[in-house]
Amino acid sequence: MKDRKHITKTGLAALFLTLFSTLAVADEGMWTFDNVPVQQIQSKYGFTPTKEWLDHLRLSCVRFNDGGSGSFVSPHGLVLTNHHVALDELQKASTKEHDYAHEGFYAATPDQELKSPDLEVNVLVSMEDVTARVNDALKGAATPEKQFAARRAVFAQITRESQDKTGLRSDIVTLYGGGEYWLYRYKRYTDVRIVFAPEQQIAFFGGDPDNFTYPRYDLDMALFRVYENGKPVDSSNYLQWNPNGARDGELVFVAGNPGSTQRQDTMAQIEMERDTVLPDLLTMFRSRIATLRQYSALGPEQDRRASGELRGLENGRKLFEGEVKGLDDPHVIATKQKSEEDFRARVMANAELKTKYGDAWDQIAEAERKMAPRAKEIFFRSTDSDLAELAQLIVEYVAEIKKPDGERLPGFHDAQLESLKQQMFSPAPIYKDMEIARITGSLELAEKELPASDPFLVTTLNGQPPKQVATELVNGTQLEDPAVRKRLVERGEAAVNASNDPMIVLARKLDPMRRQMIKWRQDNVQSVVQAASAKLGKARFAVYGKSIYPDATFTLRLSYGQVKGYPMNGTIAPPKTTYYGLYDRAASFDYASPFDLPSRYAEERNKLNLATPLNFVTTNDIVGGNSGSPVVNRAGQIVGLIFDGNIESLVGDFVYDGETNRSVAVHTSGMTEALRKLYPTQKVLDELMGTPVAQAR
Amino acid sequence: MKDRKHITKTGLAALFLTLFSTLAVADEGMWTFDNVPVQQIQSKYGFTPTKEWLDHLRLSCVRFNDGGSGSFVSPHGLVLTNHHVALDELQKASTKEHDYAHEGFYAATPDQELKSPDLEVNVLVSMEDVTARVNDALKGAATPEKQFAARRAVFAQITRESQDKTGLRSDIVTLYGGGEYWLYRYKRYTDVRIVFAPEQQIAFFGGDPDNFTYPRYDLDMALFRVYENGKPVDSSNYLQWNPNGARDGELVFVAGNPGSTQRQDTMAQIEMERDTVLPDLLTMFRSRIATLRQYSALGPEQDRRASGELRGLENGRKLFEGEVKGLDDPHVIATKQKSEEDFRARVMANAELKTKYGDAWDQIAEAERKMAPRAKEIFFRSTDSDLAELAQLIVEYVAEIKKPDGERLPGFHDAQLESLKQQMFSPAPIYKDMEIARITGSLELAEKELPASDPFLVTTLNGQPPKQVATELVNGTQLEDPAVRKRLVERGEAAVNASNDPMIVLARKLDPMRRQMIKWRQDNVQSVVQAASAKLGKARFAVYGKSIYPDATFTLRLSYGQVKGYPMNGTIAPPKTTYYGLYDRAASFDYASPFDLPSRYAEERNKLNLATPLNFVTTNDIVGGNSGSPVVNRAGQIVGLIFDGNIESLVGDFVYDGETNRSVAVHTSGMTEALRKLYPTQKVLDELMGTPVAQAR
C-alpha cells in the first residue's frame, strides 16, 4: 500500500469530509492521540495505555513530507520506514553507475550516509484544541463563502502566531468534518540521510500483482538517520527493537499518519466517488501507465528512470480498482445507506438538531450535482510533468506571497513556505526525455477527454500536435536547473512575468483559468460541503459524542488490534508468512519478474532460518499514509513495520470490516534475520539491538 | 475434491439430466472417447490425438467402484490414485495397533500388500452405440410411465445379453439427456491390494480449510496393485512415468470419471437445486458433521473411526456451500438464463422442433413443482447408518432377485448383482458405538425436519426417544458380522421375512413406504423429467449437432487443457507450488493441525530439494469423480495426478469459466522426490521408472 498521499485524488475528494455514521465496533478506528479509546482496549485486551506510554510512542513517530510514516528505532536518530517510502530518495541519489533502488544501499560508516535532497520528517510535539477560537472567528460569517474566508483567515493567524512563538511547524487539523479544530505543532527535520535499503526486488517482491494482497513476502524496509546541525539527532524517544516480533493473537498498536478516508461521506458523496471521481481517476492512471510503460521499454536506463513513478501509478490503479469493486458491492452500499439512514433519522427526530443540521445532506447532494459536470476539467486539464508543476508553483508562489497570509491560495501560507521552497529548489534530477513522453501522453489524453474548445487545450496546444508542444516546452525550458528556479523566485513576480522560459510562459497563460476554477470550486462546492460537513460533524457529536474517531487527515493516529489470520478465497490466510514462502512463490513462477530474487537470496539461502517469520497481518485499521508505521506491543517495543493492506482492506476507505480487513507488516524477526545473515549490516543491527529486550516478552 | 459420487445427492438431482445450452468454448468439456474434439485441440494446441493414442489412454485408466479414478502406471498392475480415494480402504485395513490412514503404509514385498475387502476397479474395454435399439424399444410406449418401463426393460436386456456373451460388466450409459445410449463394457478386477500410501497429514495437508482451494501442498497419492487369479495383472496398457512432470503452459489431458454435472439443466431445475435440494443437503451434512465431531471428541480411537466419514461430510458441506455461492451469483444465473433463452428460441423458431420438443421445459418445471414439497422426505426419512443401509439392502435384495430383470428396482439388475454382493458381504469393520451416535443424530434431525405424523418417524421411533431407539437397534442386531448377512441372504426371502434381527425388522417395516416413494417419484418426476430431457437432448442435437459434450455420468471422459495460473484474490495464483510452500504454510500456522507435518517431513527436510514442484493447476474441465485421474502429456506419459479443483471451480457443476476454473493435481516430480528421498520406497519407484522417459520430453 503505497502512501495514499502520494496519489491524492487531486484534492477533489479530500475536501468532502463529512460524517461517519455507525458506531465504532471491533478493532475499528484511527484514533487521535487525545482521544484513545482506553476503555474499549482495556475491556477487549486487558491493557490500558497510560499517558506516558502514549506520549513516548507519539514522540517516537515521524511523518515524511512526501507521504509516509516512520519511527525512531535508536537513540541516535535512526528511523525505520518502508523501502517504498524511501524509493524516491533512492532514485534521486542514484546515478548511471549505481542504481540504489535496484541494488540496495548500505552506509557502513556515517560519512557514507546519503543525504536526501528534499526529504523532511516531522515529529508531532504538541496538540492543542483550538475549536473555540475557530468557532468564535466564524460567528460573524453569514454565508458559506464568508465562513470559508473567515476560517482560512483564522487558520493562518493561529498557525503564524504559533510558529512565531515556538519556531515549530504549526498546522490546523480539521477533525470530525469541522466538529473540532486542533493546532498540531511539529519539530521539522530537513537533514535526513539514507543508511540502509535492501534491493527493490526483495522490498517489492511480487510487484504489482502482489501489491495490496496477502500472503506476502516483502522485506519492505529502509533505514534513515536524522541529522540536525550536522550531527545525528539525540532521539531519546525511540522504540526498542524486539527481534522476536509479534505473536499470533497478540495485541498490537499502529501509530502513523493515515492519509485520508471517506468513512463519514454521505451517500451523495459516495455515489459521486463511485460514478465520477474513481472512473475519471482510473482513466488518467491507466493512460499515464501506458505512457510510462512505452517509455521504459526504450532501455534499462529509461526503465530505471520511470520505475518509481510507474510503480506509484500502478499502485494507484490497483487501489482505485479495488475501491470501485468495493463500492460496486451491494452489501457495502447497503451498509453505508443503512447507517446514513439511522444517523439522519436520529437528527430528524430531534427538533433542535433538525433545524440546525437537517438540511446538510441535501446541501452536499446539491454541491455534488454542480461538481459532476466539471469533474473532467479537474482531472484532464493537467500536464503530467515535473517541469510544468514547478513552473506553476513558481508562478503562483511569487503572486501569493505578496498577499496577506489569510488571503492566499491553500498551500501558500507562511507556515508552509519552508516546505514549498524545499520542493521548488530540490536538486532532484529531471529527465527531459521522460518529461516529453509524459507531457505528450497527458495532452493526448486531454484531447480525448475534453471538448476541442476547452480553453486549456486551446491555450496549451494552440493547434499543434501534443508531441510537438511537449518537445518545444521541454527543450526550451531551463527549469530543470534548481539554480535557475531559485534565481527566478528570488527576483520575484516581475521577473517571473518577464520570463521567456516556455514553461513559465505557459504556466502564466494557464494561471487565470486555474485560479478561476479554484474559486468556482471554493464558492460552489468546497465552501458548501465544508459548511454542511461541519453541520454534520456537530450533529454527529450531538448524537454519538466523541465515542467515534474522525476521518483520516494525514496526521498522527493510533489504531489497536491483534495479529490474526482471516478467511480468504475459501480457506484461511495465516497470521504470518515465512522465508519458506518467499522461496516458494519465486520458484512457483520460475523466478520470472516480479517474482525474481536478488542474487544474494539465491546464493546465501542456506544461511537463513527459512522458518523465520517475514510478514504478518493484524486487524489494525489503517490506510495509505500509514506506510512505514511501527507496529508496537504492550511494552511499547517495535514488533513490526506496516507496509500494506490486503485486497479486502481497499474498501476500507469507506467502511472497515473486521472479519477480513487486514494491515500487512514486515516482522521484526524477518528484518533481524536478513540484517544479520544476508547483508553486511552488523553495525546497524547492533545499533538496533542496543538495548537488550529479549527478557521483556 | 473428494469423489463426488461418494456424496451423491441421494439420487434426487442425479436423475434430472437435461440439456446443455451453450456451445463449448475454451478448454471446456468432458468428452466421451468416441467424440474427442480433435479439431479444436489441433487448432488451439497443434496436436491431434490419434485413435491409438486414445485407445491406449482409455485402457490405462481405471474406475474405482466407490467413486474415483486411477491409472495403471506399470506393466505389473500398479495403479496410481489419490490417498483420499484409498482412504476408506486404509481405514478398513487399520487396527487398533496400526492406523494406516494416519501412519501411511508401504508394502516392501508383494506378500505385504494389503487386500481391500470390497474394492473393485473397472477398465472400460469397449463402447457400443445402442441408441437405435433403445429408441426402437421405446416406440410402442405412449406415456412417460410406459417409456420408463420400456427403457428399463431394454437396458436390462442389452446388458444381460452383453454380459452373457462377453463375461464383462455391461452398463448402459445415457448421454445427452437421452439423445444417445451407449453400452459400456468393463473388465472388472476385485482383487485390489494397497501398496503405498503416505501419511494422511501430508496427503490432506491443510485439511478442510484448504480443501477445494489452491495454492495447495498435498501429496494426495496412493498406489494399489491389481491382481487376478492371485497374480499381479499383466497391464500392458499403462502410462509411462515422467518424473519431470508438467511445464507451465503445456498441453495436458485428463482421463477419468467425472461423477455428475448439471450443465444441461433447465432453469427450473437449477432453481430447484438452489432453493430446495442444496439447502436441505446442507442441513443434513451440517447435522451429520456435528454428530460425528461430538463422537470423535470422545477419544483418539473414536477420532480415527470417524475421520474418514467426517472428512467426506466436510468435503460435501464445502462443496455444496460453494455451489450455493455460485448459484447466488447473479452473473452465473444470468449466463444460464441467457443460454436457455437462446436454445429455446432456436427450438421455437423451427416449426418441427417446436412441435416435437417445445413443451419439454414446461414439463420439467411442472415435475419440479410436484417434487419440491416432498423433497424433505427424501433427505430426512433416513438413518445415517451402515447397519441400517445393509439391512435395507438385504430386504430389497431378496425380494428383487425373484423378479424378472427388467422389473427390478434400479441397482438390482443381473449385471449389478456381483457388486451388490461384494457390498453386502464386505468384512469392513462396523463400529457399534459410532452407529448409535449416527443413528441418534439422524433421527433427531428427522424429528426436527419432518412433521410428527410422518410415517417414517412413527414407524421408526414409535414414541421412543431417538437415542433409545438407536441403542436398541444397534445392540440388538447381529448384522455387523458379514457371515450373518451372508447366511441370511443365502437363505432367501422367507428367512429375511422371519428374521427377528431388529435392523431387519425395521427395514421390513420401512420397505413399503420406500417403494411407494420410489414409485411415486418414478411416475411423477423421473419419468417426466427423463422423457422431457430426452426431448431436449434430441432438440439439442438438431440445433447444435454433436459439437457439444454430454453431462458427466461417472463414466470415462477426456478433457484437454493447459498448465496455467489464474487471477486470484487481487493477485495471480502460480501455475505450480513447491515443497518450500508446504513448509511455509505449516510454519505460518505454527504447525497447528491441519497444518502439522508428519515427523519425517520435519526430520528429513534437508534431504529434499525444496524447489521441487509439488502441486499444479490446469484449465482441464473436471468435477468430483475425477479424483485420481492421470494428467498426461502429448507423449501419453503421466505428468500429474488430479486430486481437487479450486474454489472457483465449484460452480463448475453448472457452468465452466475458463478464466478461473482450475483442476488441482499432484506433480509427478513432487511424488518422485518424496518416494526417492523420504520413504523407503525405492523398489516401487524403480517399478514406476522402469521405462526410461528422460529423453522423451
Side-chain angles (χ1 to χ4, degrees), chain A residues 421-438:
Chain A
K421 278 187 198 159
Q422 198 164 2
Q423 191 184 341
M424 282 190 292
F425 309 144
S426 163
I430 291 172
Y431 305 109
K432 286 197 149 189
D433 59 337
M434 189 162 87
E435 286 284 302
I436 293 174
R438 287 167 66 194

Side-chain angles (χ1 to χ4, degrees), chain A residues 209-210 213 217 318 568-572 574-578 580-581 583-585 587-590 605 647-648, chain B residues 209-210 213 217 318 568-572 574-578 580-581 583-585 587-590 605 610 647-648:
Chain A
D210 278 3
T213 71
Y217 316 91
K318 198 162 179 184
M568 188 198 78
N569 218 44
T571 182
I572 321 167
K576 61 170 183 273
T577 64
T578 70
Y580 277 125
Y583 286 95
D584 175 57
R585 198 149 170 86
S588 292
F589 286 102
D590 291 329
R605 191 206 66 165
I647 198 89
E648 294 84 352
Chain B
D210 279 3
T213 71
Y217 316 92
K318 198 162 180 183
M568 188 199 79
N569 217 43
T571 182
I572 321 166
K576 62 169 181 275
T577 64
T578 70
Y580 276 125
Y583 286 95
D584 175 57
R585 198 150 170 86
S588 292
F589 286 102
D590 291 329
R605 190 207 67 166
L610 296 177
I647 198 89
E648 294 84 352

Side-chain angles (χ1 to χ4, degrees), chain A residues 580-600:
Chain A
Y580 277 125
L582 170 69
Y583 286 95
D584 175 57
R585 198 149 170 86
S588 292
F589 286 102
D590 291 329
Y591 309 94
S593 173
F595 302 102
D596 49 334
L597 291 171
S599 54
R600 81 175 78 231

Side-chain angles (χ1 to χ4, degrees), chain A residues 464-540:
Chain A
Q464 306 297 314
K467 174 132 198 191
Q468 186 184 327
V469 171
T471 309
E472 287 170 10
L473 280 171
V474 173
N475 288 343
T477 190
Q478 295 185 310
L479 292 188
E480 75 276 13
D481 181 352
V484 169
R485 300 197 293 268
K486 194 151 195 223
R487 213 155 46 230
L488 203 53
V489 170
E490 279 166 2
R491 286 164 55 209
E493 195 175 14
V496 171
N497 284 345
S499 169
N500 289 323
D501 188 291
M503 279 288 181
I504 295 287
V505 172
L506 178 62
R508 277 202 316 263
K509 285 190 202 161
L510 293 172
D511 189 55
M513 195 185 313
R514 197 173 126 79
R515 287 176 182 276
Q516 199 184 29
M517 181 63 181
I518 290 171
K519 177 147 176 31
W520 179 87
R521 276 178 74 195
Q522 279 181 357
D523 294 349
N524 293 279
V525 184
Q526 292 167 333
S527 61
V528 178
V529 171
Q530 219 169 58
S533 299
K535 283 186 191 176
L536 291 177
K538 283 168 190 155
R540 193 151 202 284

